[in-house]
């Protein structure tokens, strides 16, 4: 017999029940149907349903008389009263009807006769394996059922041997799988038929409920009633003794729960999220595209997938949940760590990986989310010792991403990572993940909105600008942590939360002596004023301790050609803190040793690796430049003389701008944290004396930290 591929009839022509159900007045306010309109005349649809009834021996008279037909066989081939069971198995009934629809009458007749053939059946997800297998065992003569779900090579070999032995014995063999890629090549080549079972549509669910309740008319399911539901939802709704109306009501409630996002408690409103920039704009467009897809106005392949990259705590997971909530579609979450949890054997990892993708495809339209994507190493990063393991996992990820992306079912895949550079380039290309968005730390405005969101009904109308200014540089997770601690303080004091509670958490008490804090502020002010006068962008400055640093200045790295003048300007800024200590403070201090280290590294590279000094010889990488002990004394002296010249220039700059440095230091002592814009305001209000080099500031592309 020639090998054929039998698609599901529901992919091309839906049951006439669906069109009629979509137009039912009682459902006029429901979400529009997601299924395509039937191109099949109503008479043909009814005829096909009648053929299936005839094949199964099901008729109105049978139903009224003894409960025979599909519902009877779902209980073991006899009427439910005769079997002693009050209700047939809904999962088996749905599997039976799905097979009947996918195969059609001729193929179904051949299948029941149990000919010596191999049929590969792809089911929507792993939950369908047992009921489909049970139906075949029950209804097909001389049948063997083999599950092709193992990803281990030995398991594939065993499955191939089992199928071969059954075929040699003249048996009919049904090989069940959720993923055709898991089918061994030998079996795929030998298969007489390949059948793909589709999820039940509105017509099939109407049919199943009629069979189950033995009622033939006056009832229809609409596509909107079952959008996003899976086999477990169907079975949970089809309870013993329930009427069609009661079952339909349960299905509609389950669909409404998914649409409202009741299983995503706490998911924020996408429209109100702050600090996500281009990612939010894209997500709002994606939500609109979901609506077009559900209204049959957009092909499912047009829905884009994306990777969200950024430091920990920036709200990537919350963003994904907000997208699913706004789109009113199910969210299926996993992580690479979850695939490894429990057992890291290759077949177990692949099974969990495939189960996730199977679930996304089965519940589409939906959003699938993979967290910790960087835990899956790129194929170019693994050693030869581990390549046989990781390359299989990575290759399977590529195949399943491509399958999901091209399925056209409205499945959108999102992923999050803290290390974008570790992800395989093949995963980052369009067709797997179409877009890559960087989720940066929020600025003060975005942080204020995040604080307001997490506060909920607490502190209504309070001005959170001071909290956001003090906490700038923190993440959304940091903001949530501050609020939790502040609430704890108020709760233990047996009073409502107040703004001071939050301020004290973000700006903890500083028990350092005032003189010490003033010295730190003066040092950081020297860095800031030198940077401003030299055209180096300033992000923020603080006298709050951070790790071993008593204070810190965060600078923006500009897009500029690293010329001699540019590098010397950066070194003058680095030495600006020491210059302020000398000009306005108590003199040089050992706390500036980190500044001297950075200045020495820059100038050593300047003379030994970058070709900007007198010699052109290359003496190693810039990272190895500070190893002065390996340099000849003449070069050490050259670097020292250069440092002294730039130190003198920094002293002259701070002396000419001493008023601005002093004013900024005093303000820092009071406010503790200041933004670059606030620094610029003070610098502009205190112009320097003499010819201070001024350069236009450029947009920041990165960040550099100066610490005291």
């Amino acid at each position: 017999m020639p090998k054929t591929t039998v698609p599901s009839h529901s992919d091309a022509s839906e049951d006439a029940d669906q069109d009629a159900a979509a137009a039912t007045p009682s459902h006029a306010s429901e979400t529009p149907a997601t299924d395509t309109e039937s191109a099949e005349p109503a008479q043909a649809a009814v005829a096909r349903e009648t053929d299936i009834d005839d094949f199964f021996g099901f008729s109105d008279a049978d139903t009224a008389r003894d409960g025979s037909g599909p519902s009877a066989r779902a209980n073991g081939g006899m009427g439910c009263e005769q079997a002693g069971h009050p209700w047939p198995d809904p999962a088996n009934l749905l599997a039976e009807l799905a097979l009947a629809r996918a195969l059609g009458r001729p193929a179904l007749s051949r299948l029941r006769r149990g000919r010596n053939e191999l049929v590969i059946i792809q089911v929507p997800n792993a939950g369908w394996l047992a009921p489909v297998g049970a139906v075949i065992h029950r209804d097909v003569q001389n049948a063997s059922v083999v599950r092709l779900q193992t990803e281990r090579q030995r398991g594939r070999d065993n499955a191939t041997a089992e199928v071969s032995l059954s075929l040699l014995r003249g048996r009919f063999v049904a090989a069940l799988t959720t993923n055709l890629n898991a089918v061994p090549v030998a079996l795929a080549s030998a298969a007489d038929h390949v059948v793909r079972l589709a999820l039940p549509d509105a017509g099939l669910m109407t049919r199943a409920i009629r069979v189950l309740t033995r009622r033939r008319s006056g009832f229809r399911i609409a596509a909107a009633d079952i959008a996003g539901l899976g086999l477990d939802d169907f079975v949970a709704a089809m309870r013993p003794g329930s009427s069609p109306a009661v079952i339909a009501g349960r299905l509609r409630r389950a669909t409404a729960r998914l649409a409202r996002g009741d299983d995503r408690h706490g998911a924020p409103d996408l429209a109100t999220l702050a600090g996500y920039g281009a990612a939010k704009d894209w997500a709002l467009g994606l939500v609109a595209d979901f609506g077009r897809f559900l209204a049959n106005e957009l092909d499912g392949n047009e829905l884009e997938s994306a990777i969200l990259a950024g430091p920990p705590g920036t709200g990537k997971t919350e963003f994904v949940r907000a997208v699913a909530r706004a789109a009113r579609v199910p969210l299926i979450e996993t992580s690479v760590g979850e695939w490894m949890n429990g057992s890291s054997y290759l077949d177990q990892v692949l099974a969990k990986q495939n189960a996730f993708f199977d679930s996304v495809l089965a519940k589409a339209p939906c959003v699938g989310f993979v967290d910790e994507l960087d835990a899956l190493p790129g194929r170019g990063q693994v050693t030869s010792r581990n390549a046989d393991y990781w390359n299989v996992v990575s290759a399977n990820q590529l195949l399943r991403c491509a399958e999901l992306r091209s399925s056209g079912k409205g499945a959108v895949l999102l992923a999050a990572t803290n290390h974008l550079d570790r992800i395989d380039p093949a995963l980052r290309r369009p067709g797997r993940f179409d877009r890559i968005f960087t989720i940066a730390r929020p600025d003060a405005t975005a942080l204020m909105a995040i604080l307001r969101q997490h506060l909920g009904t607490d502190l209504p109308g309070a001005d959170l600008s001071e909290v956001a200014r003090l906490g700038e540089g923190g993440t959304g997770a940091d903001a949530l942590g501050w609020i939790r601690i502040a609430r704890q303080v108020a709760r233990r004091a047996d009073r409502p939360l107040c703004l001071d509670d939050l301020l004290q958490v973000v700006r903890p008490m500083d028990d350092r002596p005032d003189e010490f804090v003033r010295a730190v502020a003066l040092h950081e002010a020297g860095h800031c004023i030198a940077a401003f006068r030299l055209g180096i962008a300033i992000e923020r400055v603080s006298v709050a301790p951070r790790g071993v640093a008593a204070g810190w200045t965060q600078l923006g790295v500009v897009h500029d050609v690293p010329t001699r003048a540019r590098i010397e300007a950066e070194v003058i800024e680095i030495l600006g803190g020491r210059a302020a200590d000398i000009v306005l403070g108590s003199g040089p201090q050992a706390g500036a040793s980190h500044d001297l280290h950075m200045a020495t590294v820059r100038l050593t590279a300047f003379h030994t690796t970058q070709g900007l000094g007198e010699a052109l010889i290359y003496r190693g990488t810039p990272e190895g430049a500070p190893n002065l002990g390996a340099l000849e004394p003449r070069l050490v002296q050259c670097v020292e003389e250069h440092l002294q010249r730039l130190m003198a220039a920094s002293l002259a700059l701070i002396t000419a701008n001493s008023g601005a440095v002093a004013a900024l230091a005093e303000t820092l002592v009071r406010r503790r944290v200041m933004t670059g814009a606030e620094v610029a305001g003070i610098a502009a209000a205190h112009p320097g004396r003499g010819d201070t080099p001024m350069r236009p500031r450029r947009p920041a592309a990165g960040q550099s930290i100066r610490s005291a």
Side-chain angles (χ1 to χ4, degrees), residues 161-174:
E162 182 180 353
V163 169
S164 300
L165 182 60
S166 296
L167 291 172
L168 285 173
R169 291 175 175 173
R171 299 177 68 86
F172 169 86
V173 180

Side-chain angles (χ1 to χ4, degrees), residues 454-455 477-491 497 502 505:
H454 288 311
L455 280 168
D478 293 330
L480 181 58
W482 299 332
I483 292 171
R484 284 176 174 168
I485 295 173
R487 283 172 172 159
Q488 183 186 77
V489 170
R491 184 170 60 251
L497 177 70
L502 194 54
V505 173

Side-chain angles (χ1 to χ4, degrees), residues 7-31:
S8 167
H9 287 292
S10 62
D11 293 338
S13 57
E14 303 296 332
D15 195 295
D17 288 339
Q18 180 180 329
D19 291 330
T24 302
S26 62
H27 301 147
S29 62
E30 301 287 343
T31 305

Side-chain angles (χ1 to χ4, degrees), residues 93-107:
L93 173 60
L94 289 170
E96 181 176 3
L97 293 176
L99 274 170
R101 171 161 289 186
L103 290 167
R105 179 179 175 83

